[in-house]
Amino acid sequence: MNTLIFRTVAPLLTAVMLVFSVFVLLRGHNEPGGGFIGGLIAASALAIYGMAMGAEAARHALRVHPIAVAGFGLALAGLAGMLSLAFALPFMTGLWAMFEIDRVEGAISTPMVFDIGVYLVVFGTIAAVALALEADEGAG
């Protein structure tokens, strides 16, 4: 599928899908969504970009090997689970840290960090498979 319309719309569609994937990731704590679905949406965005521009262009746009992204996500998710052990709590117990920056209060939690890790694992794994399939398709 290499039409002018698709090549023109693909970068915009990819950007919208990536923003939506982050929205789904962050809303997953209170409503349906989360790291798995957000990672699938982000990998789909990269696959669409790869179909339109070619697998090599998608790899160049990503700048990091997708398996490295998945490995970092796995380490992040593992760290989020093990952090509770440092406080003598059971494995995967949720911890929250409150912070304030310029009178804006916020919080970061180990469940959120775990979800981000899952997002990166799913994105990296599916993106690696999609880019490998797109590269093989061009060779045949």
PDB file of all heavy atoms in Angstrom, residues 4 12 17 29 32 38 41 50 57 66 70 78 82-83 86 103 105 108 111 115 120-121 130 135 137:
ATOM      1  N   LEU A   4      -0.212   7.921  -2.578  1.00  0.00           N
ATOM      2  CA  LEU A   4       0.163   9.277  -2.165  1.00  0.00           C
ATOM      3  C   LEU A   4      -0.651   9.728  -0.952  1.00  0.00           C
ATOM      4  O   LEU A   4      -0.106  10.339  -0.025  1.00  0.00           O
ATOM      5  CB  LEU A   4      -0.029  10.242  -3.340  1.00  0.00           C
ATOM      6  CG  LEU A   4       0.268  11.705  -3.037  1.00  0.00           C
ATOM      7  CD1 LEU A   4       1.726  11.878  -2.647  1.00  0.00           C
ATOM      8  CD2 LEU A   4      -0.078  12.575  -4.226  1.00  0.00           C
ATOM      9  N   LEU A  12       0.721  12.104  10.209  1.00  0.00           N
ATOM     10  CA  LEU A  12      -0.255  12.748  11.088  1.00  0.00           C
ATOM     11  C   LEU A  12      -1.015  11.704  11.902  1.00  0.00           C
ATOM     12  O   LEU A  12      -1.198  11.860  13.114  1.00  0.00           O
ATOM     13  CB  LEU A  12      -1.226  13.601  10.276  1.00  0.00           C
ATOM     14  CG  LEU A  12      -2.351  14.262  11.060  1.00  0.00           C
ATOM     15  CD1 LEU A  12      -1.777  15.269  12.047  1.00  0.00           C
ATOM     16  CD2 LEU A  12      -3.334  14.931  10.126  1.00  0.00           C
ATOM     17  N   MET A  17      -2.118   8.824  16.964  1.00  0.00           N
ATOM     18  CA  MET A  17      -2.195   7.534  17.651  1.00  0.00           C
ATOM     19  C   MET A  17      -1.230   7.459  18.828  1.00  0.00           C
ATOM     20  O   MET A  17      -1.553   6.872  19.871  1.00  0.00           O
ATOM     21  CB  MET A  17      -1.929   6.392  16.669  1.00  0.00           C
ATOM     22  CG  MET A  17      -3.067   6.144  15.710  1.00  0.00           C
ATOM     23  SD  MET A  17      -2.709   4.853  14.513  1.00  0.00           S
ATOM     24  CE  MET A  17      -2.759   3.400  15.567  1.00  0.00           C
ATOM     25  N   HIS A  29      -5.428   3.836  35.169  1.00  0.00           N
ATOM     26  CA  HIS A  29      -5.472   3.617  36.613  1.00  0.00           C
ATOM     27  C   HIS A  29      -6.867   3.785  37.165  1.00  0.00           C
ATOM     28  O   HIS A  29      -7.206   3.209  38.189  1.00  0.00           O
ATOM     29  CB  HIS A  29      -4.517   4.573  37.332  1.00  0.00           C
ATOM     30  CG  HIS A  29      -3.102   4.355  36.925  1.00  0.00           C
ATOM     31  ND1 HIS A  29      -2.392   3.243  37.293  1.00  0.00           N
ATOM     32  CD2 HIS A  29      -2.282   5.083  36.149  1.00  0.00           C
ATOM     33  CE1 HIS A  29      -1.188   3.306  36.769  1.00  0.00           C
ATOM     34  NE2 HIS A  29      -1.098   4.415  36.074  1.00  0.00           N
ATOM     35  N   PRO A  32     -10.951   1.936  32.156  1.00  0.00           N
ATOM     36  CA  PRO A  32     -10.340   0.923  31.284  1.00  0.00           C
ATOM     37  C   PRO A  32      -9.189   1.495  30.462  1.00  0.00           C
ATOM     38  O   PRO A  32      -9.232   2.631  30.010  1.00  0.00           O
ATOM     39  CB  PRO A  32     -11.493   0.491  30.377  1.00  0.00           C
ATOM     40  CG  PRO A  32     -12.720   0.788  31.169  1.00  0.00           C
ATOM     41  CD  PRO A  32     -12.395   2.020  31.979  1.00  0.00           C
ATOM     42  N   GLY A  38      -2.283   0.640  25.645  1.00  0.00           N
ATOM     43  CA  GLY A  38      -1.527   1.791  25.159  1.00  0.00           C
ATOM     44  C   GLY A  38      -0.328   1.368  24.324  1.00  0.00           C
ATOM     45  O   GLY A  38      -0.036   1.961  23.285  1.00  0.00           O
ATOM     46  N   ILE A  41      -1.502   0.263  20.874  1.00  0.00           N
ATOM     47  CA  ILE A  41      -1.843   1.406  20.021  1.00  0.00           C
ATOM     48  C   ILE A  41      -0.570   2.066  19.495  1.00  0.00           C
ATOM     49  O   ILE A  41      -0.478   2.419  18.314  1.00  0.00           O
ATOM     50  CB  ILE A  41      -2.726   2.413  20.790  1.00  0.00           C
ATOM     51  CG1 ILE A  41      -4.085   1.791  21.117  1.00  0.00           C
ATOM     52  CG2 ILE A  41      -2.917   3.698  19.988  1.00  0.00           C
ATOM     53  CD1 ILE A  41      -4.926   2.603  22.086  1.00  0.00           C
ATOM     54  N   GLY A  50       5.467   2.549   9.214  1.00  0.00           N
ATOM     55  CA  GLY A  50       6.339   1.662   8.463  1.00  0.00           C
ATOM     56  C   GLY A  50       5.721   1.213   7.151  1.00  0.00           C
ATOM     57  O   GLY A  50       6.418   1.077   6.144  1.00  0.00           O
ATOM     58  N   ALA A  57      12.642   3.542   7.268  1.00  0.00           N
ATOM     59  CA  ALA A  57      12.258   4.877   7.749  1.00  0.00           C
ATOM     60  C   ALA A  57      11.648   4.800   9.147  1.00  0.00           C
ATOM     61  O   ALA A  57      11.890   5.671   9.986  1.00  0.00           O
ATOM     62  CB  ALA A  57      11.280   5.525   6.782  1.00  0.00           C
ATOM     63  N   PRO A  66      13.803  -1.602  18.957  1.00  0.00           N
ATOM     64  CA  PRO A  66      12.597  -1.918  19.731  1.00  0.00           C
ATOM     65  C   PRO A  66      12.827  -2.936  20.849  1.00  0.00           C
ATOM     66  O   PRO A  66      12.187  -2.847  21.901  1.00  0.00           O
ATOM     67  CB  PRO A  66      11.629  -2.486  18.684  1.00  0.00           C
ATOM     68  CG  PRO A  66      12.174  -2.127  17.373  1.00  0.00           C
ATOM     69  CD  PRO A  66      13.613  -1.818  17.528  1.00  0.00           C
ATOM     70  N   ALA A  70      11.854  -2.727  24.846  1.00  0.00           N
ATOM     71  CA  ALA A  70      11.179  -3.781  25.606  1.00  0.00           C
ATOM     72  C   ALA A  70      12.005  -4.189  26.827  1.00  0.00           C
ATOM     73  O   ALA A  70      11.451  -4.404  27.917  1.00  0.00           O
ATOM     74  CB  ALA A  70      10.916  -4.986  24.711  1.00  0.00           C
ATOM     75  N   GLY A  78       9.933  -4.537  36.613  1.00  0.00           N
ATOM     76  CA  GLY A  78      10.509  -5.326  37.706  1.00  0.00           C
ATOM     77  C   GLY A  78      10.925  -4.465  38.880  1.00  0.00           C
ATOM     78  O   GLY A  78      10.705  -4.826  40.040  1.00  0.00           O
ATOM     79  N   MET A  82       9.672  -4.620  42.769  1.00  0.00           N
ATOM     80  CA  MET A  82      10.620  -4.915  43.847  1.00  0.00           C
ATOM     81  C   MET A  82      10.842  -3.753  44.806  1.00  0.00           C
ATOM     82  O   MET A  82      11.380  -3.957  45.890  1.00  0.00           O
ATOM     83  CB  MET A  82      11.956  -5.343  43.251  1.00  0.00           C
ATOM     84  CG  MET A  82      11.912  -6.690  42.606  1.00  0.00           C
ATOM     85  SD  MET A  82      13.564  -7.184  42.154  1.00  0.00           S
ATOM     86  CE  MET A  82      13.211  -8.224  40.773  1.00  0.00           C
ATOM     87  N   LEU A  83      10.433  -2.569  44.438  1.00  0.00           N
ATOM     88  CA  LEU A  83      10.646  -1.407  45.301  1.00  0.00           C
ATOM     89  C   LEU A  83       9.962  -1.592  46.648  1.00  0.00           C
ATOM     90  O   LEU A  83      10.477  -1.132  47.682  1.00  0.00           O
ATOM     91  CB  LEU A  83      10.150  -0.136  44.608  1.00  0.00           C
ATOM     92  CG  LEU A  83      10.554   1.174  45.230  1.00  0.00           C
ATOM     93  CD1 LEU A  83      12.082   1.302  45.283  1.00  0.00           C
ATOM     94  CD2 LEU A  83       9.972   2.332  44.440  1.00  0.00           C
ATOM     95  N   ALA A  86      12.040  -3.121  49.495  1.00  0.00           N
ATOM     96  CA  ALA A  86      12.955  -2.249  50.227  1.00  0.00           C
ATOM     97  C   ALA A  86      12.294  -1.644  51.467  1.00  0.00           C
ATOM     98  O   ALA A  86      12.977  -1.230  52.401  1.00  0.00           O
ATOM     99  CB  ALA A  86      13.469  -1.141  49.318  1.00  0.00           C
ATOM    100  N   ARG A 103       4.284  25.039  43.222  1.00  0.00           N
ATOM    101  CA  ARG A 103       2.941  25.027  43.803  1.00  0.00           C
ATOM    102  C   ARG A 103       1.958  24.126  43.057  1.00  0.00           C
ATOM    103  O   ARG A 103       0.751  24.260  43.185  1.00  0.00           O
ATOM    104  CB  ARG A 103       2.383  26.442  43.911  1.00  0.00           C
ATOM    105  CG  ARG A 103       3.136  27.279  44.937  1.00  0.00           C
ATOM    106  CD  ARG A 103       2.548  28.629  44.991  1.00  0.00           C
ATOM    107  NE  ARG A 103       2.948  29.299  43.746  1.00  0.00           N
ATOM    108  CZ  ARG A 103       3.068  30.592  43.596  1.00  0.00           C
ATOM    109  NH1 ARG A 103       2.801  31.376  44.597  1.00  0.00           N
ATOM    110  NH2 ARG A 103       3.432  31.122  42.473  1.00  0.00           N
ATOM    111  N   GLU A 105       0.937  20.272  42.857  1.00  0.00           N
ATOM    112  CA  GLU A 105       1.155  19.009  43.536  1.00  0.00           C
ATOM    113  C   GLU A 105       0.934  17.858  42.573  1.00  0.00           C
ATOM    114  O   GLU A 105       0.112  17.932  41.666  1.00  0.00           O
ATOM    115  CB  GLU A 105       0.203  18.870  44.723  1.00  0.00           C
ATOM    116  CG  GLU A 105       0.496  19.856  45.832  1.00  0.00           C
ATOM    117  CD  GLU A 105      -0.429  19.666  47.010  1.00  0.00           C
ATOM    118  OE1 GLU A 105      -1.218  18.700  47.015  1.00  0.00           O
ATOM    119  OE2 GLU A 105      -0.364  20.485  47.929  1.00  0.00           O
ATOM    120  N   ILE A 108       3.495  10.172  42.150  1.00  0.00           N
ATOM    121  CA  ILE A 108       3.958   9.087  41.302  1.00  0.00           C
ATOM    122  C   ILE A 108       3.826   7.807  42.120  1.00  0.00           C
ATOM    123  O   ILE A 108       4.066   7.814  43.327  1.00  0.00           O
ATOM    124  CB  ILE A 108       5.396   9.313  40.801  1.00  0.00           C
ATOM    125  CG1 ILE A 108       5.750   8.282  39.757  1.00  0.00           C
ATOM    126  CG2 ILE A 108       6.390   9.315  41.938  1.00  0.00           C
ATOM    127  CD1 ILE A 108       6.950   8.658  38.931  1.00  0.00           C
ATOM    128  N   PRO A 111       2.381   1.459  40.912  1.00  0.00           N
ATOM    129  CA  PRO A 111       1.503   0.899  39.876  1.00  0.00           C
ATOM    130  C   PRO A 111       1.612   1.650  38.544  1.00  0.00           C
ATOM    131  O   PRO A 111       1.574   1.035  37.474  1.00  0.00           O
ATOM    132  CB  PRO A 111       0.099   1.028  40.467  1.00  0.00           C
ATOM    133  CG  PRO A 111       0.310   1.019  41.937  1.00  0.00           C
ATOM    134  CD  PRO A 111       1.619   1.732  42.149  1.00  0.00           C
ATOM    135  N   ASP A 115       2.880   0.114  35.019  1.00  0.00           N
ATOM    136  CA  ASP A 115       2.104   0.260  33.779  1.00  0.00           C
ATOM    137  C   ASP A 115       2.960   0.841  32.653  1.00  0.00           C
ATOM    138  O   ASP A 115       2.838   0.426  31.496  1.00  0.00           O
ATOM    139  CB  ASP A 115       0.888   1.160  34.016  1.00  0.00           C
ATOM    140  CG  ASP A 115      -0.410   0.390  33.996  1.00  0.00           C
ATOM    141  OD1 ASP A 115      -0.376  -0.839  33.824  1.00  0.00           O
ATOM    142  OD2 ASP A 115      -1.464   1.037  34.148  1.00  0.00           O
ATOM    143  N   LEU A 120       6.041  -0.112  27.611  1.00  0.00           N
ATOM    144  CA  LEU A 120       7.294  -0.194  26.855  1.00  0.00           C
ATOM    145  C   LEU A 120       7.587  -1.615  26.388  1.00  0.00           C
ATOM    146  O   LEU A 120       8.089  -1.813  25.273  1.00  0.00           O
ATOM    147  CB  LEU A 120       8.447   0.358  27.690  1.00  0.00           C
ATOM    148  CG  LEU A 120       8.390   1.854  27.991  1.00  0.00           C
ATOM    149  CD1 LEU A 120       9.494   2.248  28.956  1.00  0.00           C
ATOM    150  CD2 LEU A 120       8.456   2.671  26.721  1.00  0.00           C
ATOM    151  N   VAL A 121       7.279  -2.616  27.211  1.00  0.00           N
ATOM    152  CA  VAL A 121       7.494  -4.013  26.815  1.00  0.00           C
ATOM    153  C   VAL A 121       6.612  -4.366  25.621  1.00  0.00           C
ATOM    154  O   VAL A 121       7.075  -4.937  24.629  1.00  0.00           O
ATOM    155  CB  VAL A 121       7.229  -4.983  27.991  1.00  0.00           C
ATOM    156  CG1 VAL A 121       7.155  -6.421  27.513  1.00  0.00           C
ATOM    157  CG2 VAL A 121       8.294  -4.831  29.056  1.00  0.00           C
ATOM    158  N   ALA A 130       6.587  -6.236  14.022  1.00  0.00           N
ATOM    159  CA  ALA A 130       6.025  -5.529  12.867  1.00  0.00           C
ATOM    160  C   ALA A 130       7.119  -5.060  11.911  1.00  0.00           C
ATOM    161  O   ALA A 130       6.987  -5.212  10.688  1.00  0.00           O
ATOM    162  CB  ALA A 130       5.184  -4.342  13.340  1.00  0.00           C
ATOM    163  N   ALA A 135      10.053  -5.627   6.847  1.00  0.00           N
ATOM    164  CA  ALA A 135      11.334  -5.757   6.140  1.00  0.00           C
ATOM    165  C   ALA A 135      11.338  -7.019   5.273  1.00  0.00           C
ATOM    166  O   ALA A 135      11.827  -7.009   4.153  1.00  0.00           O
ATOM    167  CB  ALA A 135      12.483  -5.792   7.138  1.00  0.00           C
ATOM    168  N   GLU A 137       8.701  -8.470   3.978  1.00  0.00           N
ATOM    169  CA  GLU A 137       7.753  -8.267   2.882  1.00  0.00           C
ATOM    170  C   GLU A 137       8.417  -7.548   1.718  1.00  0.00           C
ATOM    171  O   GLU A 137       8.183  -7.856   0.561  1.00  0.00           O
ATOM    172  CB  GLU A 137       6.553  -7.461   3.374  1.00  0.00           C
ATOM    173  CG  GLU A 137       5.475  -7.271   2.328  1.00  0.00           C
ATOM    174  CD  GLU A 137       4.313  -6.476   2.875  1.00  0.00           C
ATOM    175  OE1 GLU A 137       3.626  -6.987   3.779  1.00  0.00           O
ATOM    176  OE2 GLU A 137       4.116  -5.338   2.419  1.00  0.00           O
TER     177      GLU A 137
END
